[in-house]
Amino acid sequence: MIKAEDFELLCGIVKSRSGLTLSPDKAYLLENRLMAVARKWGMNDIDGLAATVRGGPNEELLREITEAMTTNETLFFRDQTPFEQLEKVVLPRLLESRRERRHIRIWSAACSSGQEPYSIAMILKGMGSILDNWRIDIHATDISRAMLDKARAGLYTQFEVQRGLPIAMLMKYFQQAGDKWEIDPAIRSMVEFDEFNLLNDPTSKGQFDIVFCRNVLIYLDPPTKTRVLENVSKLMPEDGVLYMGGAETVMGVTEKFQPVNEHRGMYCCVRGGGGGQGMAPANYASNI
Amino acid sequence: MKSCLVVDDSRVIRMVARKIMEELEFDVVEAEDGQAAIDCCNQVMPDAVLLDWHMPVMDGLEFLYALRQLPGGEKPKVVFCTTKNDLEHIQEAIKAGADEYIMKPFDSEIIQSKFSQVGLL
Ligand SMILES: C[S@@+](CC[C@H](N)C(=O)[O-])C[C@H]1O[C@@H](n2cnc3c(N)ncnc32)[C@H](O)[C@@H]1O
């Protein structure tokens, strides 16, 4: 069993570096995951790992400890509807309102192994020639280097390509590579991956019309949720759209966003001190 | 309740598939080869068919061609479920009129994902 003071030390590190909160009943999880890190660093147990951490600052080790505690569960076209809405409602609107600039920017803010941004890319590819002469950036970030490496490689197991991905999409956008499946380079090159910690200030990333921030806030404590969402809202134009996971909400977290009626998981920006509406949700509802 | 015909020559696979499909609230009928499956469809057309490829007597692909010729045979959603896990076989199955394709080994999550893609969940 992990010692209470070691649990506290290691949780403290993970929390301050990523916002991820672990309750004491997750001690087994911490122990399991950190054993791999301990061994990699030539230690036999968590005791040794904790001692090394106490021994002095070691950025690389702390980063690996944090990364090991992230949950990276994801799948292609997760929850289906957000991607259908993107194609049928959100993008058509933006194609209209951005027709002068012909530039749309999308951010997948906790992209894990890449299924989310690649799903977006496949949707865009499927929209065909209406996007000719448009520039659409898909910026995908995560705190985990291991996940970003996997995402960039674009190689998925047979199990992964059967979760959420319709067979027609597999046939169209993947090639077999040994016992794995490799995403088409044309899709891969539509996504730009970068390491980014949501606790940091994202201002330098510029503006994003659509943000996917899904299934990451559930792991963070309430003040951190608020901070992340308020930072995200600063990067978004008035008619921007935010997507969150099925188990996530803005209720009690921030007033910068509000749910869009009848579109589960979709949120629009609220401007002017919480009272006003950036975009009437009805605008979206009427499109369906 | 929706019905699913599970076609596989392995009793074990049929049992596993039946359990998963029943959890997804399907009425399950089993057949051990393509010919037995055609006989089932002649009696009652199912809403879905979970179909192995390699089987004695009549294989999955032959069954699929025969099924699509039957009156009402265009209606069932057909999901292949086979160890043939290469692009050529997938293309052949889809061309023959399959709606989805599962590469074995499968689990309940994959079945669920595929049946929701064909609109049955
Ligand atoms: C469960 S996955 C969600 C993936 C995808 N968005 C989805 O909905 O399927 C959560 C991801 O959030 C990342 N993450 C956790 N804390 C983070 C932080 N502070 N900054 C950036 N990413 C973080 C994890 O590394 C993990 O890949």
Side-chain angles (χ1 to χ4, degrees):
Chain A
M1 257 305 277
I2 181 167
K3 286 199 232 116
E5 68 259 35
D6 289 353
F7 180 75
E8 225 164 273
L9 171 78
L10 296 166
C11 282
I13 289 166
V14 172
K15 176 143 187 208
S16 69
R17 294 178 64 99
S18 69
L20 300 174
T21 348
L22 294 157
S23 50
D25 62 319
K26 293 283 157 59
Y28 73 94
L29 186 75
L30 183 105
E31 207 171 348
N32 262 341
R33 298 225 185 134
L34 294 192
M35 263 318 284
V37 179
R39 286 209 193 87
K40 187 182 156 200
W41 285 73
M43 294 158 240
N44 299 323
D45 48 29
I46 304 290
D47 267 7
L49 187 70
T52 314
V53 168
R54 287 198 183 88
N58 183 334
E59 174 58 27
E60 187 61 16
L61 178 61
L62 299 187
R63 196 182 57 70
E64 284 188 22
I65 289 173
T66 309
E67 215 178 294
M69 293 315 296
T70 59
T71 300
N72 310 111
E73 167 80 10
T74 187
L75 58 147
F76 288 102
F77 298 99
R78 187 169 189 168
D79 302 335
Q80 282 184 21
T81 29
F83 299 93
E84 287 163 19
Q85 289 165 13
L86 183 70
E87 177 179 2
K88 303 236 158 64
V89 185
V90 180
L91 282 167
R93 276 190 63 109
L94 285 170
L95 291 183
E96 189 51 35
S97 61
R98 304 286 190 274
R99 62 181 181 277
E100 301 292 319
R101 214 180 332 149
R102 301 183 89 77
H103 186 189
I104 293 173
R105 301 193 71 225
I106 305 174
W107 182 19
S108 167
C111 67
S112 189
S113 38
Q115 282 90 331
E116 181 176 277
Y118 286 142
S119 298
I120 299 170
M122 287 185 269
I123 292 283
L124 293 173
K125 199 62 160 183
M127 290 174 74
S129 58
I130 29 171
L131 295 181
D132 285 355
N133 303 316
W134 278 78
R135 176 167 159 208
I136 307 203
D137 300 334
I138 307 173
H139 188 67
T141 61
D142 201 281
I143 195 177
S144 163
R145 284 189 194 170
M147 285 304 121
L148 288 166
D149 285 345
K150 183 169 172 196
R152 285 193 189 97
L155 276 174
Y156 297 97
T157 64
Q158 184 168 297
F159 180 70
E160 288 165 332
V161 295
Q162 299 203 82
R163 290 180 74 209
L165 187 71
I167 198 69
M169 295 274 200
L170 180 76
M171 290 162 67
K172 216 161 155 185
Y173 298 124
F174 288 79
Q175 274 117 40
Q176 244 167 335
D179 58 355
K180 297 243 172 114
W181 292 82
E182 184 176 10
I183 201 152
D184 189 336
I187 298 291
R188 190 169 40 203
S189 64
M190 292 169 72
V191 183
E192 180 200 45
F193 291 98
D194 204 2
E195 185 178 332
F196 183 73
N197 185 340
L198 285 168
L199 297 193
N200 295 338
D201 180 2
T203 311
S204 64
K205 293 195 168 294
Q207 182 170 294
F208 290 102
D209 305 291
I210 304 169
V211 176
F212 283 72
C213 185
R214 305 175 69 217
N215 303 299
V216 58
L217 296 183
I218 29 169
Y219 303 105
L220 311 182
D221 64 50
T224 314
K225 282 186 205 191
T226 304
R227 187 162 115 223
V228 170
L229 285 182
E230 309 221 323
N231 279 338
V232 167
S233 85
K234 287 185 204 142
L235 304 186
M236 295 176 66
E238 217 175 329
D239 60 351
V241 167
L242 168 75
Y243 280 105
M244 295 211 290
E248 294 165 328
T249 172
V250 295
M251 270 235 294
V253 179
T254 176
E255 298 193 339
K256 303 282 186 205
F257 293 100
Q258 69 176 56
V260 179
N261 287 340
E262 292 166 47
H263 293 291
R264 242 182 111 227
M266 179 169 154
Y267 297 81
C268 61
C269 299
V270 176
R271 288 289 141 84
Q277 295 185 350
M279 167 191 287
N283 280 356
Y284 272 107
S286 65
N287 254 323
I288 265 261
Chain B
M1 210 167 173
K2 290 190 169 118
S3 59
C4 180
L5 174 60
V6 173
V7 192
D8 201 304
D9 57 342
S10 151
R11 219 171 57 85
V12 177
I13 301 262
R14 289 201 307 272
M15 213 171 70
V16 173
R18 168 187 283 275
K19 195 160 164 283
I20 296 173
M21 293 312 296
E22 284 180 347
E23 269 161 22
L24 298 174
E25 303 195 326
F26 278 82
D27 238 344
V28 175
V29 179
E30 296 177 26
E32 61 191 15
D33 62 58
Q35 186 54 55
I38 285 291
D39 295 344
C40 292
C41 292
N42 274 324
Q43 283 172 13
V44 188
M45 204 47 90
D47 297 301
V49 183
L50 188 69
L51 183 62
D52 187 18
W53 192 312
H54 187 75
M55 289 177 292
V57 188
M58 182 193 275
D59 74 15
L61 199 65
E62 290 169 318
F63 162 81
L64 180 54
Y65 281 122
L67 169 72
R68 296 306 193 203
Q69 299 304 312
L70 294 180
E74 70 294 335
K75 199 197 67 175
K77 300 287 184 194
V78 174
V79 179
F80 259 103
C81 184
T82 163
T83 49
K84 295 185 192 290
N85 57 3
D86 57 281
L87 211 46
E88 289 70 37
H89 279 101
I90 297 175
Q91 278 159 346
E92 196 178 356
I94 300 297
K95 236 176 76 194
D99 297 282
E100 259 299 342
Y101 197 102
I102 293 170
M103 298 175 269
K104 286 174 178 168
F106 61 93
D107 63 3
S108 65
E109 221 178 309
I110 289 176
I111 297 231
Q112 195 167 346
S113 167
K114 293 294 182 180
F115 276 80
S116 84
Q117 253 134 46
V118 299
L120 286 176
L121 286 178

